[in-house]
Amino acid sequence: MARSRSPSAPRLTKDAARLIALALALHSSGSRVEDRYWESELATVINRLLRAGNDTAMDAALDHLTQTNLGGYEVLIEQAETLSESCVIEHDGRRHDVLLLVAPLVVWTRYSIPANVIPAAPLAALQAQLHGHVLSREARVALLPRLASLDQMPRSFSETWQWMQKLGALALGAEGSAPTLNTDAESFNMLADTRYLVGAVAVPEGHALFRWQEVPGELGEGRAACLEQWAAQTRDTFAGLLPGCGFEGLVPDAYYVSNREADRRVRPLSVKAAVSWLSGALNIPASALRAVIAGCGEGRIEEYRVGFTQKNQSEVIYGCLWPLYGREDDAPALESDAPPIETPDEIAALLKECEVGDVRRLPGILPPDYCEDCGAPFFPNPAGEMVHAELPEDAETAPTHFH
């Protein structure tokens, strides 16, 4: 998931300075033997911070490295993610590898996307399909009985670690309770968004977690075959949980990589769904809409926001978020590759494909502001101001729940 940076870094604590030093040492390592040494040192510090629920030092170290050494930043965030989504748990005298798992769904609709409780029968069916098509023969799994929205998911490394610990213990048959979802304010209705089936999978230490590790296929196409079977066998179950919605299922995998892939997939769908819905709600063709694209962030562009207005009007009536991951706009291309398409060009081409009549791109970087009252993100108007999106009174309806 996208991470934001502080505009001015606070004074580094002893733990933050230690994390920076170890991350830079690992980044400079010249051998796998040395890598393992620095990884062990980093794990000692990070695990202590995770157990204490102390994310401040990790966030400060990441903010510092983002501004001073991107290689060190990538090393540290990889270690923090790995250690917060996986661990070894001993149960009944045997050590088990545990991984926090999500099965993402990219969902689109003309209504409001639900984040539903999963009844016992569908939950059992989804667990059976995981065992049948995704997980290894020895895997044990515990699922959260809810399709969660992104806002309900963990918001820090330590919270992710707590979810992994609780669900991992349940997967191994230990007593305990499931994690509590964060409160979803539902302040900004999305026409295309993500929903997640969340669980933890446990296997004896060193054994395969996934089916594609056991049967990789002749050309390594095992993962693709698992996704094909998972998508086909779970479609009816998910359709019952997401009435009035279209959706695409992604392969269940580790927490962070699955989140990022789902967020990438939902970006173009959110734009297409917005244009389609606005045309219907306002009873106008897409050519009568204007879209304003602005880069937003603190110091550098961290996401793009698209504000929609009616053509020849300035009031923003709806908006879409397009977050960036892994410094996408700065990724160098190989000499043999075609030059990468810049993100604003990609968004503009998508809007033109949707037949939006007027597409504008604002220069510079605008602040990623939110409404203090309802928490909804602000979107750019043609004058370059970040404002609240408000549907006109004569619009047919705002996104509502499907019944």
Side-chain angles (χ1 to χ4, degrees):
M1 289 171 279
R3 297 184 56 81
S4 61
R5 294 190 308 166
S6 302
S8 58
R11 183 174 180 177
L12 295 173
T13 64
K14 180 179 179 180
D15 283 329
R18 178 65 172 161
L19 288 170
I20 292 167
L22 292 172
L24 293 175
L26 178 54
H27 179 58
S28 301
S29 169
S31 68
R32 183 58 190 145
V33 174
E34 186 182 351
D35 286 353
R36 287 197 294 267
Y37 174 83
W38 295 123
E39 287 171 356
S40 176
E41 293 292 302
L42 266 172
T44 299
V45 179
I46 293 173
N47 280 325
R48 173 170 53 79
L49 295 172
L50 291 172
R51 286 192 295 270
N54 180 5
D55 290 271
T56 304
M58 287 185 284
D59 290 339
L62 287 166
D63 285 343
H64 178 85
L65 289 168
T66 305
Q67 301 173 57
T68 60
N69 191 302
L70 288 176
Y73 169 86
E74 294 296 336
V75 164
L76 181 56
I77 198 167
E78 179 183 1
Q79 294 300 309
E81 289 182 352
T82 296
L83 293 167
S84 60
E85 73 182 4
S86 63
C87 70
V88 175
I89 295 179
E90 186 168 333
H91 181 69
D92 289 341
R94 189 172 186 184
R95 289 164 60 87
H96 295 80
D97 288 322
V98 173
L99 177 70
L100 186 63
L101 181 88
V102 291
L105 295 162
V106 178
V107 188
W108 59 95
T109 186
R110 291 175 61 87
Y111 306 95
S112 182
I113 300 171
N116 287 334
V117 171
I118 306 175
L123 189 67
L126 292 171
Q127 185 163 323
Q129 297 302 334
L130 277 173
H131 282 296
H133 305 293
V134 178
L135 302 178
S136 67
R137 288 187 295 269
E138 293 183 284
R140 301 163 69 176
V141 66
L143 296 177
L144 199 64
R146 180 79 178 253
L147 278 183
S149 67
L150 183 61
D151 288 339
Q152 295 172 315
M153 302 272 272
R155 298 170 183 171
S156 66
F157 294 121
S158 61
E159 192 176 357
T160 303
W161 183 85
Q162 291 165 10
W163 279 43
M164 180 263 298
Q165 291 283 331
K166 289 183 176 182
L167 286 168
L170 293 176
L172 291 168
E175 293 184 3
S177 59
T180 302
L181 275 67
N182 287 309
T183 301
D184 186 359
E186 296 186 333
S187 57
F188 181 58
N189 280 317
M190 304 290 288
L191 297 164
D193 204 357
T194 47
R195 291 293 181 265
Y196 300 90
L197 177 67
V198 187
V201 56
V203 295
E205 187 177 20
H207 291 217
L209 280 163
F210 296 107
R211 178 64 54 91
W212 56 79
Q213 292 175 271
E214 297 177 319
V215 187
E218 287 186 21
L219 301 176
E221 67 278 88
R223 183 187 294 263
C226 290
L227 172 58
E228 182 179 351
Q229 290 296 317
W230 165 256
Q233 298 301 320
T234 59
R235 174 156 292 276
D236 288 346
T237 302
F238 283 130
L241 297 170
L242 295 164
C245 298
F247 60 90
E248 175 189 358
L250 306 184
V251 65
D253 208 336
Y255 180 80
Y256 290 104
V257 68
S258 291
N259 266 288
R260 281 191 285 268
E261 182 59 23
D263 285 348
R264 287 190 181 97
R265 295 283 191 96
V266 82
R267 296 180 304 190
L269 284 173
S270 68
V271 172
K272 291 181 179 180
V275 174
S276 174
W277 178 76
L278 284 170
S279 295
L282 300 174
N283 195 27
I284 59 174
S287 59
L289 293 171
R290 174 199 286 132
V292 182
I293 305 168
C296 297
E298 296 170 341
R300 67 175 175 87
I301 294 176
E302 294 156 356
E303 67 181 10
Y304 287 88
R305 295 190 184 182
V306 183
F308 288 95
T309 75
Q310 296 188 67
K311 211 169 180 180
N312 302 321
Q313 297 185 22
S314 60
E315 294 80 11
V316 175
I317 55 178
Y318 192 74
C320 293
L321 302 174
W322 190 289
L324 299 178
Y325 303 98
R327 298 182 63 82
E328 291 175 272
D329 279 359
D330 298 333
L334 299 175
E335 291 184 4
S336 58
D337 292 342
I341 299 174
E342 293 188 359
T343 301
D345 293 333
E346 182 182 356
I347 300 171
L350 181 62
L351 289 162
K352 289 294 186 182
E353 180 186 318
C354 294
E355 301 182 352
V356 173
D358 184 5
V359 179
R360 301 188 183 184
R361 285 177 278 188
L362 300 178
I365 304 176
L366 297 182
D369 290 339
Y370 291 82
C371 176
E372 293 183 358
D373 294 327
C374 71
F378 285 171
F379 294 97
N381 66 14
E385 301 164 328
M386 299 297 286
V387 298
H388 208 303
E390 297 282 356
L391 278 170
E393 292 183 0
D394 59 351
E396 289 188 10
T397 181
T400 57
H401 288 287
F402 176 85
H403 297 288

